[in-house]
Amino acid sequence: MTDGQVLVAIENPKPGRDYTVRCSTPELTCNCPVTGQPDFATVTIEYVPAELIVELKSLKLYLWGYRNQGAYHEEITNRILDDLAGLLKPKSMTVTTDWYVRGGIQTTVVAAHP
Amino acid sequence: MTDGQVLVAIENPKPGRDYTVRCSTPELTCNCPVTGQPDFATVTIEYVPAELIVELKSLKLYLWGYRNQGAYHEEITNRILDDLAGLLKPKSMTVTTDWYVRGGIQTTVVAAHP
Amino acid sequence: MTDGQVLVAIENPKPGRDYTVRCSTPELTCNCPVTGQPDFATVTIEYVPAELIVELKSLKLYLWGYRNQGAYHEEITNRILDDLAGLLKPKSMTVTTDWYVRGGIQTTVVAAHP
Amino acid sequence: MTDGQVLVAIENPKPGRDYTVRCSTPELTCNCPVTGQPDFATVTIEYVPAELIVELKSLKLYLWGYRNQGAYHEEITNRILDDLAGLLKPKSMTVTTDWYVRGGIQTTVVAAHP
Amino acid sequence: MTDGQVLVAIENPKPGRDYTVRCSTPELTCNCPVTGQPDFATVTIEYVPAELIVELKSLKLYLWGYRNQGAYHEEITNRILDDLAGLLKPKSMTVTTDWYVRGGIQTTVVAAHP
Amino acid sequence: MTDGQVLVAIENPKPGRDYTVRCSTPELTCNCPVTGQPDFATVTIEYVPAELIVELKSLKLYLWGYRNQGAYHEEITNRILDDLAGLLKPKSMTVTTDWYVRGGIQTTVVAAHP
Amino acid sequence: MTDGQVLVAIENPKPGRDYTVRCSTPELTCNCPVTGQPDFATVTIEYVPAELIVELKSLKLYLWGYRNQGAYHEEITNRILDDLAGLLKPKSMTVTTDWYVRGGIQTTVVAAHP
Amino acid sequence: MTDGQVLVAIENPKPGRDYTVRCSTPELTCNCPVTGQPDFATVTIEYVPAELIVELKSLKLYLWGYRNQGAYHEEITNRILDDLAGLLKPKSMTVTTDWYVRGGIQTTVVAAHP
Amino acid sequence: MTDGQVLVAIENPKPGRDYTVRCSTPELTCNCPVTGQPDFATVTIEYVPAELIVELKSLKLYLWGYRNQGAYHEEITNRILDDLAGLLKPKSMTVTTDWYVRGGIQTTVVAAHP
Amino acid sequence: MTDGQVLVAIENPKPGRDYTVRCSTPELTCNCPVTGQPDFATVTIEYVPAELIVELKSLKLYLWGYRNQGAYHEEITNRILDDLAGLLKPKSMTVTTDWYVRGGIQTTVVAAHP
């Protein structure tokens, strides 16, 4: 998890029903681990909660925590999924990151749990 | 259900056939239960009626009834589903809410019955 | 069926193959049975023909026949399906109506045969 | 001005240059003065500042202040312009409101100062 | 003017300022004067009011009044402009009608006063 | 003018006002004068009528008349303008043709009278 | 098949793999068999080749060959499918035609082999 | 001018009228003069011809001639304008190039003659 | 594989999870094997990695390597798939190429492994 | 100017002609001077060069230099304009910044020189 940024879970208000929550923001940025230059992505988190849902303000701060970290596209996507799925223990969860063009190539990574 | 706003059901004109009705409005607004500040969403209700369909004017008034209530995104979506499914006893129903950006994050909640 | 407007069927030029025909027009209008005020919809008819296909000019006239009739959204959709499926005896048919906003709410009805 | 909501002005960081600031939000809502039913609009404020610019958080609270007020589309647009132009004394300002469909009609109002 | 449908003017709430009101609806329909078949258009009315503005419900009823009338595209556009400009005496007014495709051709008519 | 297809003019219903008529169709096709292969274009005719307006059915037939003729993009655009302006004697007229891609290049021609 | 226009097949460069080829053009035109007036469509051909693929220039000429032929929408779609599937013997093939509006109605036909 | 690719001019079919021709293609590619890596652009040429218009096939070949040349975005845009304006002596001409993203930055260059 | 351009694989940072990587660029160009004229495509590569993922800079250089090669649309798509799947041994991979219009026809090729 | 990031100017390859260069990137990010939280914007720079044009790689690095700086929307826009206009001495220059939603409000700032 990113330094000092604590993801907060709150109680699912309707634990008896399988429903879907989707959160999306174009404000994910980190640094390229090779060149040190900034990368930018839109991240979308979609999940079916079990007992817990994520508190939105803590999610915002958690994602901002990547701002000064270096990581490959594939790595960061899986790390966000690990952190969120580890905390919320959802029935299912998918994390998608859409990265801005680098070298003429647009990259998207989609990781799902379980 | 919201105070004093009564959802009205009318008879399904074609009860022998499984067909789909979808109602959508960008005019759902309520208050954030934490900060008291207004939230806004587009709500879409899709269902296969059994014996009853919802009367549209009462649906409009029912949704307007949330204007001064406080509720989390996940909670209000499930409550609309509970109220409508409780009244209409549909063969199936899905409620989707798309919320305006807060803290840079756009949130969508999708709940289905049964 | 609407007064004096006769839907015409013609022979399917390729009865040995299951293929799909889709006809759509934004020119469906009728009256609200409660208020008498006009309603407007885009109607889409999609079907897999058996021995017959619909003649397009007669379909146009048939749909125009609703102009001065009063009917609920759900009712008119099922009636168009009944009339067309009754005439063409298709292998399958779906009728979709997308209605203009009333009371801030956009409504869609989808009915299928069989 | 709306009750208890105080628009706040801050110093223009570049008073020597004519430049343009445009703020837009789809979250303006008030009540219809005739029927008491809610209305919704997107409001856009564009201005060339003189000595002052508007502080964004106070603008947000100011616009939220219309939530329980009744006013015609034309009236509210001119009132927002009067309040903002009165406070900021800009070189020029335009306020545009785009209202959701009522009675099948979409309405836009554009007012400019001076 | 259309039979029995009375356009209603109300007082301009800000007569001292030149501002713009734009009303638009896709629900204009009339009959072709040659064939008697229905025609459909989106109509947009944009004006700078002087002492009067149009009351929206009466505008809706006025436009619905064309439903059973026969008129050429060019004629109806000018008639709406004449009726509205005659009533409101605006500083300026433009009426635009966008008609659905007939014979493969899409037609638009734009008339302005003065 | 194309063989045997006669453009028909009808009386302008509002000769005392300068207003605009715009007709557009994606159904213009002719042959390349060099290769004999078909070309396709969307044509838009916009004019301010004087004493006459064009009758739409005759316009449709006139444009269809180019189907078996060979002409360069620039030539056909000017010819349509000459024919229509010659007949209608409009206060002003613009003809625009947007041609489908040939050799990877999309071409548009815009000619105005006077 | 259209007069004198010969569809040409070439060898599939990767016969050992099931892959998909999709060709689309908005340049299909023929004549209405009833009125003799031109019709226009976008045609899309999607197939999984077996031993042969279609040569694109011959496909272009083949489709242009319909220019002076009369055929119903449903008929021409099935004929294109028959001709191409007869020549290429593909593992599967779908032909879709989207026709321009006639009588206010837009029509699409989708036929698949086998 | 590019090696061996000769732009060809043909006679303007309507030299007495000021009209506009616009040609656009997304198929311009050259090499970065610094890194040697390929660059890609959409180029749009808009002009009012005097005595000459450009022959489209020669324009295609001319633009393809840049494929193995190195040039800055600003330089190539001005060179295309110089070559075309030098040949055609148009009344006016504008060349626009829209380049694909490099280093996260999208660049457009617009040059006009005279 | 293209001359001298070496695709580079790097270690999958999350080998224990089936996730998807999608890379897309509109900068694929090669030459028509028949006419020698340039062709252009957008290429999209989507795969579920096993032990290896592709290094993006080497992918960019690999794709640029087709610039001076001649190949049919179907052939090049399968070759890219063969090269990438051969190197990465992914759990699954799909390569899609969307080619610019030639002869009025837009072509797409989709090949999947295994 | 941002710390250690040096904007580089290069010679205008066509100083005798007034032409326009426009550079745009969605990758501008800085910190809110009040809350310390990140802000994001798309920045567009459009100018008519005199003797100098900006070197694109240095522009990229210059804009990345704002990543850890705090500044109001209005301030940063004017500062970018001051830095670029100070270096390039262009005939004219406009800088536009479009900021992501904060507090439900989208803000744009446009500053021009001279």
Side-chain angles (χ1 to χ4, degrees), chain H residues 38 67, chain I residues 1-6 27-31 58-70 76 79:
Chain H
R67 193 171 179 86
Chain I
M1 197 175 298
T2 57
D3 289 350
Q5 305 295 354
V6 183
E27 302 189 6
L28 179 65
T29 181
C30 61
N31 292 317
S58 79
L59 177 61
K60 176 185 73 174
L61 295 173
Y62 166 80
L63 292 172
W64 284 350
Y66 284 99
R67 192 175 180 85
N68 294 313
Q69 299 196 20
I76 207 172
R79 220 161 85 198

PDB file of all heavy atoms in Angstrom, chain H residues 38 67, chain I residues 1-6 27-31 58-70 76 79:
ATOM      1  N   PRO H  38       9.553   7.505 -37.111  1.00  0.00           N
ATOM      2  CA  PRO H  38       8.445   7.988 -37.928  1.00  0.00           C
ATOM      3  C   PRO H  38       7.493   8.924 -37.163  1.00  0.00           C
ATOM      4  O   PRO H  38       7.266   8.736 -35.970  1.00  0.00           O
ATOM      5  CB  PRO H  38       7.709   6.708 -38.342  1.00  0.00           C
ATOM      6  CG  PRO H  38       8.173   5.644 -37.429  1.00  0.00           C
ATOM      7  CD  PRO H  38       9.528   6.039 -36.945  1.00  0.00           C
ATOM      8  N   ARG H  67       7.363  10.090 -47.096  1.00  0.00           N
ATOM      9  CA  ARG H  67       7.501   8.891 -46.263  1.00  0.00           C
ATOM     10  C   ARG H  67       8.924   8.655 -45.748  1.00  0.00           C
ATOM     11  O   ARG H  67       9.118   8.245 -44.602  1.00  0.00           O
ATOM     12  CB  ARG H  67       7.046   7.680 -47.071  1.00  0.00           C
ATOM     13  CG  ARG H  67       6.848   6.415 -46.257  1.00  0.00           C
ATOM     14  CD  ARG H  67       6.194   5.346 -47.131  1.00  0.00           C
ATOM     15  NE  ARG H  67       5.991   4.100 -46.439  1.00  0.00           N
ATOM     16  CZ  ARG H  67       4.938   3.812 -45.694  1.00  0.00           C
ATOM     17  NH1 ARG H  67       3.991   4.702 -45.551  1.00  0.00           N
ATOM     18  NH2 ARG H  67       4.835   2.651 -45.078  1.00  0.00           N
TER      19      ARG H  67
ATOM     20  N   MET I   1       9.840 -12.145 -38.379  1.00  0.00           N
ATOM     21  CA  MET I   1       9.979 -10.873 -37.656  1.00  0.00           C
ATOM     22  C   MET I   1      10.650  -9.829 -38.551  1.00  0.00           C
ATOM     23  O   MET I   1      11.382 -10.171 -39.454  1.00  0.00           O
ATOM     24  CB  MET I   1      10.782 -11.081 -36.367  1.00  0.00           C
ATOM     25  CG  MET I   1      10.631  -9.948 -35.369  1.00  0.00           C
ATOM     26  SD  MET I   1      11.462 -10.297 -33.802  1.00  0.00           S
ATOM     27  CE  MET I   1      10.575 -11.735 -33.243  1.00  0.00           C
ATOM     28  N   THR I   2      10.389  -8.559 -38.319  1.00  0.00           N
ATOM     29  CA  THR I   2      10.942  -7.498 -39.148  1.00  0.00           C
ATOM     30  C   THR I   2      12.455  -7.401 -38.947  1.00  0.00           C
ATOM     31  O   THR I   2      12.983  -7.725 -37.878  1.00  0.00           O
ATOM     32  CB  THR I   2      10.273  -6.165 -38.798  1.00  0.00           C
ATOM     33  OG1 THR I   2      10.466  -5.941 -37.405  1.00  0.00           O
ATOM     34  CG2 THR I   2       8.782  -6.220 -39.093  1.00  0.00           C
ATOM     35  N   ASP I   3      13.139  -6.921 -39.995  1.00  0.00           N
ATOM     36  CA  ASP I   3      14.609  -6.923 -39.986  1.00  0.00           C
ATOM     37  C   ASP I   3      15.202  -6.155 -38.808  1.00  0.00           C
ATOM     38  O   ASP I   3      14.957  -4.959 -38.644  1.00  0.00           O
ATOM     39  CB  ASP I   3      15.145  -6.270 -41.269  1.00  0.00           C
ATOM     40  CG  ASP I   3      14.905  -7.162 -42.461  1.00  0.00           C
ATOM     41  OD1 ASP I   3      14.521  -8.329 -42.254  1.00  0.00           O
ATOM     42  OD2 ASP I   3      15.086  -6.679 -43.587  1.00  0.00           O
ATOM     43  N   GLY I   4      16.026  -6.831 -38.068  1.00  0.00           N
ATOM     44  CA  GLY I   4      16.840  -6.169 -37.058  1.00  0.00           C
ATOM     45  C   GLY I   4      16.081  -5.605 -35.876  1.00  0.00           C
ATOM     46  O   GLY I   4      16.673  -5.068 -34.954  1.00  0.00           O
ATOM     47  N   GLN I   5      14.708  -5.710 -35.874  1.00  0.00           N
ATOM     48  CA  GLN I   5      13.946  -5.190 -34.759  1.00  0.00           C
ATOM     49  C   GLN I   5      13.611  -6.338 -33.838  1.00  0.00           C
ATOM     50  O   GLN I   5      12.834  -7.218 -34.198  1.00  0.00           O
ATOM     51  CB  GLN I   5      12.649  -4.532 -35.246  1.00  0.00           C
ATOM     52  CG  GLN I   5      12.855  -3.457 -36.285  1.00  0.00           C
ATOM     53  CD  GLN I   5      13.630  -2.264 -35.737  1.00  0.00           C
ATOM     54  OE1 GLN I   5      13.927  -2.199 -34.538  1.00  0.00           O
ATOM     55  NE2 GLN I   5      13.992  -1.346 -36.602  1.00  0.00           N
ATOM     56  N   VAL I   6      14.137  -6.326 -32.632  1.00  0.00           N
ATOM     57  CA  VAL I   6      13.980  -7.457 -31.729  1.00  0.00           C
ATOM     58  C   VAL I   6      12.916  -7.137 -30.677  1.00  0.00           C
ATOM     59  O   VAL I   6      13.081  -6.205 -29.889  1.00  0.00           O
ATOM     60  CB  VAL I   6      15.322  -7.792 -31.051  1.00  0.00           C
ATOM     61  CG1 VAL I   6      15.165  -9.018 -30.161  1.00  0.00           C
ATOM     62  CG2 VAL I   6      16.393  -8.029 -32.105  1.00  0.00           C
ATOM     63  N   GLU I  27      -0.323   3.747 -35.615  1.00  0.00           N
ATOM     64  CA  GLU I  27       0.887   4.080 -36.367  1.00  0.00           C
ATOM     65  C   GLU I  27       1.487   2.876 -37.104  1.00  0.00           C
ATOM     66  O   GLU I  27       2.696   2.813 -37.324  1.00  0.00           O
ATOM     67  CB  GLU I  27       1.920   4.700 -35.422  1.00  0.00           C
ATOM     68  CG  GLU I  27       1.386   5.948 -34.732  1.00  0.00           C
ATOM     69  CD  GLU I  27       2.442   6.708 -33.955  1.00  0.00           C
ATOM     70  OE1 GLU I  27       3.624   6.344 -34.021  1.00  0.00           O
ATOM     71  OE2 GLU I  27       2.066   7.681 -33.269  1.00  0.00           O
ATOM     72  N   LEU I  28       0.647   1.915 -37.482  1.00  0.00           N
ATOM     73  CA  LEU I  28       1.158   0.798 -38.277  1.00  0.00           C
ATOM     74  C   LEU I  28       1.045   1.157 -39.760  1.00  0.00           C
ATOM     75  O   LEU I  28      -0.029   1.510 -40.237  1.00  0.00           O
ATOM     76  CB  LEU I  28       0.340  -0.468 -37.989  1.00  0.00           C
ATOM     77  CG  LEU I  28       0.753  -1.721 -38.774  1.00  0.00           C
ATOM     78  CD1 LEU I  28       2.150  -2.187 -38.395  1.00  0.00           C
ATOM     79  CD2 LEU I  28      -0.252  -2.851 -38.543  1.00  0.00           C
ATOM     80  N   THR I  29       2.160   1.078 -40.474  1.00  0.00           N
ATOM     81  CA  THR I  29       2.110   1.306 -41.920  1.00  0.00           C
ATOM     82  C   THR I  29       3.026   0.317 -42.622  1.00  0.00           C
ATOM     83  O   THR I  29       4.074  -0.060 -42.094  1.00  0.00           O
ATOM     84  CB  THR I  29       2.462   2.771 -42.278  1.00  0.00           C
ATOM     85  OG1 THR I  29       2.370   2.922 -43.695  1.00  0.00           O
ATOM     86  CG2 THR I  29       3.830   3.176 -41.825  1.00  0.00           C
ATOM     87  N   CYS I  30       2.591  -0.131 -43.797  1.00  0.00           N
ATOM     88  CA  CYS I  30       3.406  -1.031 -44.617  1.00  0.00           C
ATOM     89  C   CYS I  30       3.129  -0.693 -46.081  1.00  0.00           C
ATOM     90  O   CYS I  30       2.514   0.327 -46.374  1.00  0.00           O
ATOM     91  CB  CYS I  30       3.066  -2.491 -44.314  1.00  0.00           C
ATOM     92  SG  CYS I  30       1.359  -2.907 -44.679  1.00  0.00           S
ATOM     93  N   ASN I  31       3.557  -1.516 -46.995  1.00  0.00           N
ATOM     94  CA  ASN I  31       3.298  -1.270 -48.413  1.00  0.00           C
ATOM     95  C   ASN I  31       2.413  -2.373 -48.982  1.00  0.00           C
ATOM     96  O   ASN I  31       2.517  -3.531 -48.580  1.00  0.00           O
ATOM     97  CB  ASN I  31       4.612  -1.234 -49.196  1.00  0.00           C
ATOM     98  CG  ASN I  31       5.444  -0.032 -48.827  1.00  0.00           C
ATOM     99  OD1 ASN I  31       4.923   1.069 -48.701  1.00  0.00           O
ATOM    100  ND2 ASN I  31       6.736  -0.241 -48.606  1.00  0.00           N
ATOM    101  N   SER I  58      10.224  -1.912 -27.234  1.00  0.00           N
ATOM    102  CA  SER I  58      10.574  -2.883 -28.285  1.00  0.00           C
ATOM    103  C   SER I  58       9.363  -3.173 -29.176  1.00  0.00           C
ATOM    104  O   SER I  58       9.511  -3.416 -30.376  1.00  0.00           O
ATOM    105  CB  SER I  58      11.105  -4.179 -27.666  1.00  0.00           C
ATOM    106  OG  SER I  58      10.064  -5.004 -27.178  1.00  0.00           O
ATOM    107  N   LEU I  59       8.162  -3.131 -28.611  1.00  0.00           N
ATOM    108  CA  LEU I  59       6.945  -3.322 -29.414  1.00  0.00           C
ATOM    109  C   LEU I  59       6.814  -2.185 -30.430  1.00  0.00           C
ATOM    110  O   LEU I  59       6.496  -2.412 -31.608  1.00  0.00           O
ATOM    111  CB  LEU I  59       5.714  -3.373 -28.502  1.00  0.00           C
ATOM    112  CG  LEU I  59       4.377  -3.495 -29.228  1.00  0.00           C
ATOM    113  CD1 LEU I  59       4.299  -4.775 -30.055  1.00  0.00           C
ATOM    114  CD2 LEU I  59       3.210  -3.435 -28.242  1.00  0.00           C
ATOM    115  N   LYS I  60       7.064  -0.963 -29.963  1.00  0.00           N
ATOM    116  CA  LYS I  60       7.001   0.207 -30.852  1.00  0.00           C
ATOM    117  C   LYS I  60       7.978   0.045 -32.022  1.00  0.00           C
ATOM    118  O   LYS I  60       7.611   0.230 -33.194  1.00  0.00           O
ATOM    119  CB  LYS I  60       7.344   1.470 -30.040  1.00  0.00           C
ATOM    120  CG  LYS I  60       7.413   2.737 -30.836  1.00  0.00           C
ATOM    121  CD  LYS I  60       7.866   3.915 -29.974  1.00  0.00           C
ATOM    122  CE  LYS I  60       9.367   3.811 -29.658  1.00  0.00           C
ATOM    123  NZ  LYS I  60       9.884   5.003 -28.940  1.00  0.00           N
ATOM    124  N   LEU I  61       9.213  -0.328 -31.715  1.00  0.00           N
ATOM    125  CA  LEU I  61      10.221  -0.466 -32.765  1.00  0.00           C
ATOM    126  C   LEU I  61       9.881  -1.624 -33.702  1.00  0.00           C
ATOM    127  O   LEU I  61      10.063  -1.532 -34.921  1.00  0.00           O
ATOM    128  CB  LEU I  61      11.606  -0.681 -32.139  1.00  0.00           C
ATOM    129  CG  LEU I  61      12.114   0.518 -31.339  1.00  0.00           C
ATOM    130  CD1 LEU I  61      13.408   0.158 -30.603  1.00  0.00           C
ATOM    131  CD2 LEU I  61      12.338   1.724 -32.241  1.00  0.00           C
ATOM    132  N   TYR I  62       9.370  -2.714 -33.125  1.00  0.00           N
ATOM    133  CA  TYR I  62       8.962  -3.875 -33.935  1.00  0.00           C
ATOM    134  C   TYR I  62       7.897  -3.460 -34.946  1.00  0.00           C
ATOM    135  O   TYR I  62       7.988  -3.789 -36.137  1.00  0.00           O
ATOM    136  CB  TYR I  62       8.444  -4.976 -33.014  1.00  0.00           C
ATOM    137  CG  TYR I  62       7.693  -6.057 -33.739  1.00  0.00           C
ATOM    138  CD1 TYR I  62       8.366  -7.071 -34.423  1.00  0.00           C
ATOM    139  CD2 TYR I  62       6.299  -6.058 -33.757  1.00  0.00           C
ATOM    140  CE1 TYR I  62       7.671  -8.062 -35.106  1.00  0.00           C
ATOM    141  CE2 TYR I  62       5.595  -7.052 -34.435  1.00  0.00           C
ATOM    142  CZ  TYR I  62       6.281  -8.041 -35.109  1.00  0.00           C
ATOM    143  OH  TYR I  62       5.593  -9.003 -35.786  1.00  0.00           O
ATOM    144  N   LEU I  63       6.882  -2.734 -34.481  1.00  0.00           N
ATOM    145  CA  LEU I  63       5.797  -2.336 -35.387  1.00  0.00           C
ATOM    146  C   LEU I  63       6.316  -1.372 -36.450  1.00  0.00           C
ATOM    147  O   LEU I  63       5.920  -1.433 -37.617  1.00  0.00           O
ATOM    148  CB  LEU I  63       4.642  -1.723 -34.595  1.00  0.00           C
ATOM    149  CG  LEU I  63       3.894  -2.720 -33.689  1.00  0.00           C
ATOM    150  CD1 LEU I  63       2.896  -1.996 -32.794  1.00  0.00           C
ATOM    151  CD2 LEU I  63       3.183  -3.804 -34.507  1.00  0.00           C
ATOM    152  N   TRP I  64       7.205  -0.445 -36.070  1.00  0.00           N
ATOM    153  CA  TRP I  64       7.789   0.468 -37.045  1.00  0.00           C
ATOM    154  C   TRP I  64       8.578  -0.282 -38.130  1.00  0.00           C
ATOM    155  O   TRP I  64       8.769   0.213 -39.227  1.00  0.00           O
ATOM    156  CB  TRP I  64       8.694   1.484 -36.337  1.00  0.00           C
ATOM    157  CG  TRP I  64       7.917   2.553 -35.624  1.00  0.00           C
ATOM    158  CD1 TRP I  64       6.584   2.786 -35.713  1.00  0.00           C
ATOM    159  CD2 TRP I  64       8.428   3.545 -34.727  1.00  0.00           C
ATOM    160  NE1 TRP I  64       6.221   3.848 -34.917  1.00  0.00           N
ATOM    161  CE2 TRP I  64       7.348   4.336 -34.298  1.00  0.00           C
ATOM    162  CE3 TRP I  64       9.700   3.833 -34.225  1.00  0.00           C
ATOM    163  CZ2 TRP I  64       7.489   5.399 -33.409  1.00  0.00           C
ATOM    164  CZ3 TRP I  64       9.843   4.897 -33.341  1.00  0.00           C
ATOM    165  CH2 TRP I  64       8.739   5.681 -32.940  1.00  0.00           C
ATOM    166  N   GLY I  65       9.039  -1.484 -37.787  1.00  0.00           N
ATOM    167  CA  GLY I  65       9.811  -2.278 -38.730  1.00  0.00           C
ATOM    168  C   GLY I  65       9.033  -2.704 -39.979  1.00  0.00           C
ATOM    169  O   GLY I  65       9.626  -3.083 -40.985  1.00  0.00           O
ATOM    170  N   TYR I  66       7.690  -2.613 -39.932  1.00  0.00           N
ATOM    171  CA  TYR I  66       6.886  -2.985 -41.110  1.00  0.00           C
ATOM    172  C   TYR I  66       6.830  -1.878 -42.156  1.00  0.00           C
ATOM    173  O   TYR I  66       6.307  -2.078 -43.244  1.00  0.00           O
ATOM    174  CB  TYR I  66       5.458  -3.338 -40.670  1.00  0.00           C
ATOM    175  CG  TYR I  66       5.360  -4.705 -40.032  1.00  0.00           C
ATOM    176  CD1 TYR I  66       5.348  -4.846 -38.648  1.00  0.00           C
ATOM    177  CD2 TYR I  66       5.304  -5.852 -40.815  1.00  0.00           C
ATOM    178  CE1 TYR I  66       5.273  -6.097 -38.059  1.00  0.00           C
ATOM    179  CE2 TYR I  66       5.232  -7.112 -40.234  1.00  0.00           C
ATOM    180  CZ  TYR I  66       5.223  -7.225 -38.854  1.00  0.00           C
ATOM    181  OH  TYR I  66       5.158  -8.470 -38.291  1.00  0.00           O
ATOM    182  N   ARG I  67       7.376  -0.715 -41.828  1.00  0.00           N
ATOM    183  CA  ARG I  67       7.234   0.476 -42.669  1.00  0.00           C
ATOM    184  C   ARG I  67       7.618   0.264 -44.129  1.00  0.00           C
ATOM    185  O   ARG I  67       6.979   0.802 -45.026  1.00  0.00           O
ATOM    186  CB  ARG I  67       8.084   1.598 -42.054  1.00  0.00           C
ATOM    187  CG  ARG I  67       7.836   2.965 -42.640  1.00  0.00           C
ATOM    188  CD  ARG I  67       8.642   4.019 -41.855  1.00  0.00           C
ATOM    189  NE  ARG I  67       8.436   5.361 -42.374  1.00  0.00           N
ATOM    190  CZ  ARG I  67       7.439   6.153 -42.032  1.00  0.00           C
ATOM    191  NH1 ARG I  67       6.534   5.750 -41.182  1.00  0.00           N
ATOM    192  NH2 ARG I  67       7.329   7.368 -42.551  1.00  0.00           N
ATOM    193  N   ASN I  68       8.648  -0.510 -44.382  1.00  0.00           N
ATOM    194  CA  ASN I  68       9.097  -0.690 -45.759  1.00  0.00           C
ATOM    195  C   ASN I  68       8.881  -2.111 -46.266  1.00  0.00           C
ATOM    196  O   ASN I  68       9.520  -2.533 -47.224  1.00  0.00           O
ATOM    197  CB  ASN I  68      10.565  -0.284 -45.882  1.00  0.00           C
ATOM    198  CG  ASN I  68      10.735   1.204 -45.633  1.00  0.00           C
ATOM    199  OD1 ASN I  68       9.994   2.006 -46.179  1.00  0.00           O
ATOM    200  ND2 ASN I  68      11.674   1.571 -44.763  1.00  0.00           N
ATOM    201  N   GLN I  69       7.992  -2.833 -45.622  1.00  0.00           N
ATOM    202  CA  GLN I  69       7.713  -4.194 -46.052  1.00  0.00           C
ATOM    203  C   GLN I  69       6.383  -4.249 -46.804  1.00  0.00           C
ATOM    204  O   GLN I  69       5.476  -3.470 -46.566  1.00  0.00           O
ATOM    205  CB  GLN I  69       7.625  -5.125 -44.842  1.00  0.00           C
ATOM    206  CG  GLN I  69       8.916  -5.174 -44.037  1.00  0.00           C
ATOM    207  CD  GLN I  69       8.952  -6.350 -43.118  1.00  0.00           C
ATOM    208  OE1 GLN I  69       8.232  -7.320 -43.308  1.00  0.00           O
ATOM    209  NE2 GLN I  69       9.804  -6.273 -42.114  1.00  0.00           N
ATOM    210  N   GLY I  70       6.268  -5.221 -47.711  1.00  0.00           N
ATOM    211  CA  GLY I  70       5.017  -5.438 -48.430  1.00  0.00           C
ATOM    212  C   GLY I  70       4.296  -6.649 -47.874  1.00  0.00           C
ATOM    213  O   GLY I  70       4.928  -7.690 -47.667  1.00  0.00           O
ATOM    214  N   ILE I  76      -0.193  -9.806 -42.610  1.00  0.00           N
ATOM    215  CA  ILE I  76       0.537  -9.036 -41.597  1.00  0.00           C
ATOM    216  C   ILE I  76      -0.081  -9.231 -40.218  1.00  0.00           C
ATOM    217  O   ILE I  76       0.632  -9.310 -39.207  1.00  0.00           O
ATOM    218  CB  ILE I  76       0.588  -7.544 -42.001  1.00  0.00           C
ATOM    219  CG1 ILE I  76       1.809  -6.869 -41.403  1.00  0.00           C
ATOM    220  CG2 ILE I  76      -0.663  -6.814 -41.633  1.00  0.00           C
ATOM    221  CD1 ILE I  76       2.006  -5.449 -41.928  1.00  0.00           C
ATOM    222  N   ARG I  79       1.027 -12.481 -38.934  1.00  0.00           N
ATOM    223  CA  ARG I  79       2.465 -12.482 -38.638  1.00  0.00           C
ATOM    224  C   ARG I  79       2.755 -11.802 -37.299  1.00  0.00           C
ATOM    225  O   ARG I  79       3.593 -12.261 -36.519  1.00  0.00           O
ATOM    226  CB  ARG I  79       3.211 -11.771 -39.766  1.00  0.00           C
ATOM    227  CG  ARG I  79       4.507 -12.467 -40.117  1.00  0.00           C
ATOM    228  CD  ARG I  79       4.983 -12.052 -41.474  1.00  0.00           C
ATOM    229  NE  ARG I  79       5.754 -10.826 -41.370  1.00  0.00           N
ATOM    230  CZ  ARG I  79       6.021 -10.020 -42.396  1.00  0.00           C
ATOM    231  NH1 ARG I  79       5.565 -10.320 -43.618  1.00  0.00           N
ATOM    232  NH2 ARG I  79       6.721  -8.930 -42.233  1.00  0.00           N
TER     233      ARG I  79
END
